Amino acid sequence: GNSVTQMEGPVTLSEEAFLTINCTYTATGYPSLFWYVQYPGEGLQLLLKATKADDKGSNKGFEATYRKETTSFHLEKGSVQVSDSAVYFCALSTGTASKLTFGTGTRLQVTL
Amino acid sequence: GAVVSQHPSWVICKSGTSVKIECRSLDFQATTMFWYRQFPKQSLMLMATSNEGSKATYEQGVEKDKFLINHASLTLSTLTVTSAHPEDSSFYICSAHPRGITGELFFGEGSRLTVL
């Protein structure tokens, strides 16, 4: 079956630090990969996605590259801000694009 | 962007009572809505897929008589936890798939249920 493993949090960084949140997956077929973000008190929002190997998704300074050889989709940002504090979920879908398998979520706390 | 609203955002109930959680798409029509459950420090677990005007499709291991799902209109789906017990305490999240738009999902803010 499908599964997503992401690094446990919380991750605490100082503002302007470099961020990496690791995500690896197992899936049947060729999945689409997603990163969702949940800000405090809000629902999950799509941050970025990649639908095939070597694709790079990017948004708001965040990037993730679909690496088929390592079955990974690590999230990176060069310089985090306090406003990036949130919970980040890695997810995949196979077949029906709306049916998602999620990782456990990683809480990011950015301090001044 | 599109908004999905859940209500209530948190609820406390006594064991044996039933609780209804609403999921509304505020500015779009949703042909499909999904209900998830999240335990502390665990991933979101898909419970069921709700299609407007038809019966919900439940994931393996989810009791359909325990978790009643109704998708009566293109903007509203409800999840009723019947005869709730403490082990049903959890965070319930819905998501909605807009009509005519492929691959995009919008999530509610979640509803925290505590059963005493």
Side-chain angles (χ1 to χ4, degrees):
Chain A
N2 297 338
S3 68
V4 175
T5 302
Q6 59 182 108
M7 62 189 293
E8 287 190 26
V11 174
T12 302
L13 295 173
S14 298
E15 200 168 43
E16 299 183 0
F18 184 86
L19 168 71
T20 299
I21 300 178
N22 290 337
C23 172
T24 58
Y25 66 90
T26 58
T28 53
Y30 300 96
S32 295
L33 302 174
F34 306 83
W35 277 100
Y36 281 83
V37 59
Q38 184 176 31
Y39 298 103
E42 299 182 18
L44 277 74
Q45 303 171 26
L46 179 63
L47 180 60
L48 54 84
K49 67 179 181 182
T51 57
K52 61 183 188 294
D54 299 325
D55 267 3
K56 177 186 283 187
S58 61
N59 185 26
K60 299 181 181 181
F62 290 90
E63 292 182 341
T65 302
Y66 188 141
R67 301 287 189 199
K68 184 181 175 184
E69 63 276 13
T70 54
T71 61
S72 65
F73 192 54
H74 304 322
L75 182 69
E76 296 182 336
K77 186 174 185 181
S79 176
V80 294
Q81 305 300 310
V82 172
S83 57
D84 294 326
S85 298
V87 181
Y88 294 82
F89 292 89
C90 186
L92 68 82
S93 71
T94 57
T96 305
S98 299
K99 197 167 182 178
L100 295 167
T101 300
F102 284 92
T104 54
T106 302
R107 181 174 299 278
L108 170 66
Q109 182 70 45
V110 181
T111 59
L112 291 171
Chain B
V3 178
V4 174
S5 176
Q6 279 185 242
H7 177 80
S9 55
W10 60 271
V11 57
I12 301 172
C13 70
K14 293 181 179 180
S15 186
T17 60
S18 294
V19 175
K20 180 186 287 187
I21 300 170
E22 294 184 346
C23 177
R24 293 182 184 273
S25 55
L26 298 184
D27 52 1
F28 65 94
Q29 292 183 330
T31 49
T32 304
M33 289 185 172
F34 300 88
W35 286 96
Y36 298 84
R37 183 174 180 179
Q38 186 181 26
F39 293 100
K41 298 185 179 181
Q42 296 188 27
S43 62
L44 280 72
M45 181 191 76
L46 180 64
M47 298 174 66
T49 303
S50 168
N51 294 299
E52 188 265 339
S54 64
K55 289 184 179 181
T57 303
Y58 289 81
E59 296 298 304
Q60 193 173 5
V62 178
E63 300 175 59
K64 60 181 66 176
D65 295 330
K66 174 75 170 176
F67 299 100
L68 301 179
I69 291 172
N70 184 282
H71 194 157
S73 77
L74 286 170
T75 59
L76 173 65
S77 176
T78 60
L79 167 68
T80 302
V81 183
T82 62
S83 187
H85 289 91
E87 58 266 29
D88 299 324
S89 298
S90 191
F91 196 56
Y92 293 89
I93 301 172
C94 73
S95 67
H97 184 191
R99 188 180 204 180
I101 301 176
T102 58
E104 187 69 70
L105 270 183
F106 298 96
F107 286 79
E109 60 273 69
S111 300
R112 183 166 300 284
L113 170 64
T114 301
V115 185
L116 302 177

